[in-house]
Amino acid sequence: MEQEEVIAAIAKHYESIISLLGDDPARPGLEKTPLRAAKALYYATMGYRQNAGDIIKSAIFDYAGSRMVVVKDIEFYSFCEHHILPFFGRVSVGYIPDGEMVGLSKLARVVDAHARRLQVQERLTAEICDTVASSLKTKGVIVACNAQHLCMKMRGVEKQDSSTVSIEYIGEFAENPALRDEFFRMLTDVR
């Protein structure tokens, strides 16, 4: 299906949902909401139409000489696959080059490619780590994700100040606790 057809089909479902909730999708104020919501959802789930590995592979360069490369505080927005409510936060990605490095913006694009799907934070963290490790020659990769979940804030337990941290690492980061400590110090220090 073409993009316009997909968006139109999603809009029809939004019309039905609005009706089932007890409102009239044709009333003033809501008449264009199904189409706007469909376009927003299509955009917010663009990760289904991207290949994160190809993003990394599009900007690989010869290694230039850092022991560790860290891009921290990459903001992201996603939807919880359990409730289809937003969760959002920041991801920090570190890697130890092994002959190659990647354009820094590509790490942020990889985060978006995985986040812009129906997702859970634990899998998001692991998928980012796996993509960097499998698409780039590294000695190790580490990813830390800190997020707030609207499914915990606006329904269920309704805990407004909660956040969730997930961490994934492989290679030298798994073997060497001092490297993990250095990564986490880099997230808080500005040296």
Side-chain angles (χ1 to χ4, degrees), residues 4 6 20 45 47 50 57 59 62 65 99 108 115 120 129 132-133 143 158 162 175 184-185:
E4 296 80 23
V6 171
L20 289 168
T45 58
Q50 295 177 314
K57 292 173 186 171
D62 289 337
V120 294
C129 187
V132 175
V143 177
E158 297 185 21
S162 67
E175 300 161 10
F184 288 113
R185 277 194 313 275

Side-chain angles (χ1 to χ4, degrees), residues 106-127:
K106 301 308 180 195
L107 294 175
R109 292 182 190 280
V110 165
V111 169
D112 283 346
H114 287 296
R116 291 183 176 174
R117 308 167 184 223
L118 300 180
Q119 190 60 277
V120 294
Q121 180 177 338
E122 299 86 344
R123 183 184 323 113
L124 170 65
T125 308
E127 286 177 345

